[in-house]
Amino acid sequence: VPPEKPVNISCWSRNMKDLTCKWAPGTEGETFLHTNYTLKYKLRWYGRDNTCQEYHTAGPYSCHIPKDLALFTPYEIWVEASNRLGVAVSDVVMLDILDVVTTDPPSDVHVSRVGDLEDQLSVRWSSPPALKDFLFQAKYQIQYRVEDSSEWKVVDDVGNQTSCRLAGLRPGTVYFVQVRCNPFGIYGSKKAGIWSDWSNPTAASTPRSERAAGGCDPKGGEQNTTLRRELKQFFGWVKKHAYGCSNLGIKLYDQWRVWLQKSHKTRNQVGKEP
């Protein structure tokens, strides 16, 4: 039978000079006859038809255009499928190179402990080097999971910064962390780019809790008493160390958390003495 119309054309650019596109052969796949696929493209208003030459670069139905592409002008892109019984042409996709830019994953991802805090890890990374000479912003996502789980949790509000702190983690637990990048605003483009692949997983563990394992939890009344005592300690500590400050920074809060954990350890050690 004749070939079916190719579908699902998608394209991306790594450096704003090249373009890679892939597609699907149709709802029924290839027919029993050998079918040739040709990716064609042209500038929308005044260009002539061009034919892509480097096939199978990103899978069996893909082609790479390495250079000589224009910016700030939309392209028309389509795929032609042909065999001995006929020709089928895909729908035309229109795109601007600036709107389909992607990057390599962020590099130099480091995950480390935040002092003695048992429920936090700090994540730092470097911007992708491929686009360092271009005017653009980037937004990042982080995903992390515990060592014995396959379920990833995504932090979606990292923004343009190249560091983030993960909180609410389990003490004494190994976590795997990955980061990815989406360039946007390149040369004033109003569209977001395409998410990069995730970086290779980086592992780190939170500090192990020093509180007695396997002990009984205090009763509700004791919990409330402990909470009131610790809040009183906190406000007293703030008054002593942050007098005259209108805002309580996260570093100051971290210092108090470390002080509180040390006080717990001291009480536990005193309680164990004869």
Side-chain angles (χ1 to χ4, degrees), residues 46 54 75 86 91 98 102 106 116 118 126 133 135 139-140 162 170 177 180 195 219 226 249 258 272:
Y46 51 85
E54 298 181 10
Y75 276 90
D91 295 334
L98 295 180
T102 188
D116 292 331
E118 302 164 350
S126 299
D133 297 328
L135 180 62
K139 56 183 178 180
Y140 297 95
T162 55
R170 286 192 249 163
V177 181
R180 67 176 181 173
W195 284 106
K219 296 179 181 179
T226 301
V258 171
K272 293 176 183 178

Side-chain angles (χ1 to χ4, degrees), residues 88-109:
V89 181
S90 72
D91 295 334
V92 175
V93 172
M94 203 160 345
L95 60 84
D96 190 315
I97 303 299
L98 295 180
D99 296 334
V100 294
V101 176
T102 188
T103 72
D104 293 325
S107 58
D108 300 324
V109 178

Side-chain angles (χ1 to χ4, degrees), residues 100-157:
V100 294
V101 176
T102 188
T103 72
D104 293 325
S107 58
D108 300 324
V109 178
H110 297 280
V111 185
S112 57
R113 296 180 177 182
V114 184
D116 292 331
L117 296 182
E118 302 164 350
D119 64 343
Q120 297 188 20
L121 289 172
S122 175
V123 187
R124 295 179 292 106
W125 60 90
S126 299
S127 298
L131 295 178
K132 64 180 181 180
D133 297 328
F134 297 101
L135 180 62
F136 81 107
Q137 290 180 302
K139 56 183 178 180
Y140 297 95
Q141 279 185 342
I142 296 175
Q143 68 174 10
Y144 64 96
R145 65 175 176 86
V146 297
E147 183 180 23
D148 57 355
S149 172
S150 60
E151 182 180 353
W152 294 90
K153 293 184 179 180
V154 177
V155 181
D156 198 25
D157 56 352

Side-chain angles (χ1 to χ4, degrees), residues 112-121 147-148 169-175 204-214 257-258 261-262 264-265 268-269 272:
S112 57
R113 296 180 177 182
V114 184
D116 292 331
L117 296 182
E118 302 164 350
D119 64 343
Q120 297 188 20
L121 289 172
E147 183 180 23
D148 57 355
L169 307 178
R170 286 192 249 163
T173 303
V174 175
Y175 283 87
S205 64
T206 51
R208 186 173 300 279
S209 175
E210 294 294 334
R211 301 185 185 185
R257 289 283 305 278
V258 171
Q261 289 176 6
K262 288 181 179 178
H264 277 301
K265 295 175 186 178
N268 290 336
Q269 291 173 355
K272 293 176 183 178

Side-chain angles (χ1 to χ4, degrees), residues 168-189:
L169 307 178
R170 286 192 249 163
T173 303
V174 175
Y175 283 87
F176 290 98
V177 181
Q178 293 178 293
V179 186
R180 67 176 181 173
C181 175
N182 187 332
F184 70 96
I186 298 178
Y187 293 144
S189 171

